[in-house]
Amino acid sequence: MNNLPSTVGGGGTHADGKLPRFRAEDFRLHSERGPIEGAAVSDWPVSYDDLEPYYAAAERAVGVAGDASANPFASWRSSPYPLPPGPDMFGATLSAPAAERAGLHPYRAPTGANSRPYDGRPACNDCGFCGYYGCPIHAKGDPVALLSRALHTGRCDLRAECTVTDVLLDRSGRRTTGVRYLDAAGEPHEVGASHVVLACGAFETPRLLLASGVGNRSGLVGRHLMFHFQTFTVGAFPFSLHGDRGRSVTHLHDDFCVPTDDDLAAARAAGLPWFRGGIVEHGAAAHPVQEALTYPTGALHNECMRDSSLRERLWVFTMQGEDLPQAANAVDLDPAVRDVWGRPAGRVTYASHRHELAASEHWAPLLERVLRDAGAEWSVSSTSPPRDAPGAEAHPLGLAPASRHVMGTCRMGRDPATSVVGPEGRFHDVENLLCADSSVFVTSAGYGPTLTLMALAHRTASLLADAPLPATAPM
Ligand SMILES: Cc1cc2nc3c(=O)[nH]c(=O)nc-3n(C[C@H](O)[C@H](O)[C@H](O)COP(=O)(O)OP(=O)(O)OC[C@H]3O[C@@H](n4cnc5c(N)ncnc54)[C@H](O)[C@@H]3O)c2cc1C
Ligand code: SF4
């Protein structure tokens, strides 16, 4: 359910909600850094300046808690965060100073969890079940919080446990007339619409389009699938870190999104013109269910869980490394596998570009040194997708990352030959069909995608309603 969320609110319901913005450079990667062989590095058709008012609006809608002056790499902002940061996790009080001693710039992560009561919801009590679980007290500014607000207007009709099976077109094939869906009992229904906005996530949106035979004159629906290439550096401490208290991750550093001259020299030594990493999350290692799955069954299980070395003594850096877009990385329809309703399942074909591998190899040793300086007795790194996992040889094209950041499968652009939707999120082929999820991303950047997809969705909705937000200026 975490990887392919299928609940009201989607993945944001069980995400721990680190909500950084992208940087201005991320929207102009081709112009700023140049091409890389084997990757479709491109600029976005929207700029950071275009998106800034919508970023600010999205932060206000969620109630993001953060410190606007803390991150030296952040692009300009028109307003402070609506809430101050919440309390630090204990492990971060060790890893953040150690990162600073290594010349890095950790800061309190902008997070969609109330540090004070906000929008009728209470302040977070740091229960520790932020990642992978819904918030038991609704302190998260998650999609359910926003949906509740929409439902209270009386102008929103939510049909839970329904599955859209087809986007319907009129005779011209250039306009949608609505969708067909199955209710919880599997009964088919149709609903008519003047506009249809798809927001099924970057895996299910292309699957629905391909199954419907809609929007794919370019042949690019499902292509340019991106995740984040995750590097996990684990440090084992000789004392309790109380990793089961807090909002899962309370600090980030962005240094690897902005490579130094030394980093770029390492990229060239690896045969690449440049590389970029991603944000590094300073966080706890596991939640109880994850931990339980790693221990043997029987009496020893209870002993291991009581000792809880995973939650109590491990601290983890997770680098969400930028994953370059490649046309061959794709979601398509599986020819054999069907879902519970008999519809073709989505199928992923994915191989990492050597950009991701080289960037991970370059930065992991530094992360290991930082954790040892923070007090860890030992540190070790692994990646997702795994580099040398048993069974990996059975997947000659590569394994897909376990990352829950999924992007790029209906890429945005001005040219209908090289993109699926235009700068407003409108499908080139179907004028009243729009997309409002991370399918439209052109590149993945090294940041969690959610605030950016919210800002884009807000912009798409505002332009559709002919009510764009006014341009903003730095505060
Ligand atoms: C544990 C976890 C931690 C995360 N942490 C972060 C983080 O710190 N920062 C960050 O930026 N991101 C994070 N993410 C990722 C984040 O949750 C996603 O980027 C975000 O949820 C994507 O939102 P979405 O609405 O586009 O798609 P989804 O969340 O995938 O929602 C899609 C919705 O559409 C519904 N749907 C799909 N197909 C159909 C259909 N055919 N008919 C009807 N309904 C359909 C689904 O049921 C779901 O409700 C995390 C995710 C998880 C699971
Ligand atoms: S730590 Fe607990 S209370 Fe706080 S937002 Fe997360 S789930 Fe809610």
Side-chain angles (χ1 to χ4, degrees):
M1 178 158 123
N2 275 322
N3 286 356
L4 288 178
S6 52
T7 182
V8 169
T13 311
H14 20 122
D16 45 308
K18 302 315 145 223
L19 296 175
R21 300 178 176 196
F22 283 14
R23 298 168 58 247
E25 181 189 53
D26 297 321
F27 298 92
R28 298 173 34 79
L29 196 54
H30 188 270
S31 301
E32 299 279 346
R33 301 269 170 193
I36 288 194
E37 194 186 342
V41 177
S42 310
D43 291 350
W44 293 50
V46 294
S47 68
Y48 180 86
D49 291 6
D50 293 334
L51 217 48
E52 205 289 334
Y54 301 96
Y55 268 136
E59 286 168 349
R60 283 193 299 274
V62 167
V64 177
D67 175 356
S69 64
N71 177 11
F73 300 108
S75 291
W76 68 272
R77 316 173 46 90
S78 58
S79 49
Y81 286 102
L83 292 173
D88 301 342
M89 288 177 81
F90 175 55
T93 67
L94 305 175
S95 61
E100 278 172 2
R101 288 194 291 277
L104 303 170
H105 300 82
Y107 62 97
R108 293 189 170 86
T111 305
N114 287 353
S115 55
R116 293 181 185 151
Y118 186 80
D119 192 30
R121 294 176 289 106
C124 161
N125 63 17
D126 287 296
C127 75
F129 286 88
C130 225
Y132 306 98
Y133 299 96
C135 179
I137 59 168
H138 297 292
K140 276 191 203 176
D142 62 14
V144 172
L146 302 184
L147 200 48
S148 307
R149 215 191 291 165
L151 288 167
H152 278 119
T153 66
R155 289 181 280 125
C156 174
D157 176 18
L158 175 68
R159 301 191 188 174
E161 296 188 51
C162 295
T163 305
V164 175
T165 54
D166 301 276
V167 176
L168 305 173
L169 296 181
D170 71 3
R171 285 212 185 122
S172 76
R174 296 201 64 87
R175 288 186 66 80
T176 174
T177 54
V179 298
R180 185 175 298 126
Y181 69 93
L182 303 174
D183 64 20
E187 290 299 320
H189 304 266
E190 283 188 13
V191 58
S194 61
H195 290 86
V196 171
V197 182
L198 299 180
C200 304
F203 182 87
E204 291 292 338
T205 287
R207 177 183 172 216
L208 174 59
L209 288 164
L210 292 170
S212 308
V214 167
N216 195 21
R217 239 171 262 175
S218 64
L220 294 177
V221 168
R223 295 195 172 274
H224 301 111
L225 170 68
M226 297 172 285
F227 299 93
H228 280 135
F229 188 92
Q230 295 176 312
T231 304
F232 306 110
T233 303
V234 179
F237 288 71
F239 47 81
S240 174
L241 296 165
H242 307 291
D244 55 350
R245 291 308 308 268
R247 300 175 311 289
S248 304
V249 170
T250 55
H251 287 63
L252 304 175
H253 62 259
D254 288 18
D255 300 72
F256 309 156
C257 300
V258 192
T260 62
D261 289 346
D262 286 350
D263 299 329
L264 292 173
R268 286 191 292 276
L272 294 158
W274 53 267
F275 59 40
R276 302 198 306 173
I279 46 166
V280 174
E281 302 173 350
H282 298 215
H287 60 75
V289 176
Q290 271 175 329
E291 179 165 34
L293 291 171
T294 66
Y295 294 144
T297 51
L300 190 56
H301 186 85
N302 294 352
E303 211 177 296
C304 291
M305 284 301 281
R306 266 193 298 273
D307 180 57
S308 188
S309 50
L310 278 192
R311 280 177 293 153
E312 288 292 325
R313 293 193 181 80
L314 299 188
W315 194 247
V316 182
F317 284 147
T318 303
M319 180 169 83
Q320 304 284 1
E322 176 151 18
D323 183 9
L324 294 186
Q326 303 176 71
N329 286 349
V331 174
D332 68 356
L333 299 180
D334 195 292
V337 181
R338 306 257 147 183
D339 71 7
V340 65
W341 303 119
R343 302 160 62 225
R347 175 176 70 172
V348 166
T349 303
Y350 178 89
S352 299
H353 191 284
R354 63 200 167 85
H355 162 275
E356 287 88 79
L357 309 180
S360 172
E361 271 172 20
H362 173 65
W363 276 299
L366 171 58
L367 294 175
E368 290 170 18
R369 283 199 298 279
V370 172
L371 280 183
R372 288 198 298 275
D373 181 44
E377 291 176 315
W378 52 262
S379 58
V380 66
S381 299
S382 61
T383 65
S384 172
R387 302 291 303 271
D388 302 309
E393 62 282 358
H395 299 268
L397 289 176
L399 292 164
S403 160
R404 282 98 192 174
H405 302 167
V406 190
M407 295 159 273
T409 48
C410 295
R411 86 182 334 213
M412 177 184 266
R414 293 187 195 284
D415 182 355
T418 57
S419 59
V420 177
V421 302
E424 297 172 5
R426 201 179 278 273
F427 280 77
H428 292 304
D429 297 2
V430 185
E431 58 200 45
N432 59 340
L433 179 66
L434 298 99
C435 183
D437 61 36
S438 51
S439 305
V440 305
F441 283 26
V442 179
T443 51
S444 66
Y447 293 95
T450 306
L451 193 75
T452 300
L453 79 84
M454 288 184 71
L456 282 167
H458 195 324
R459 182 170 178 270
T460 291
S462 303
L463 296 175
L464 180 62
D466 202 16
L469 297 182
T472 40
M475 60 178 185

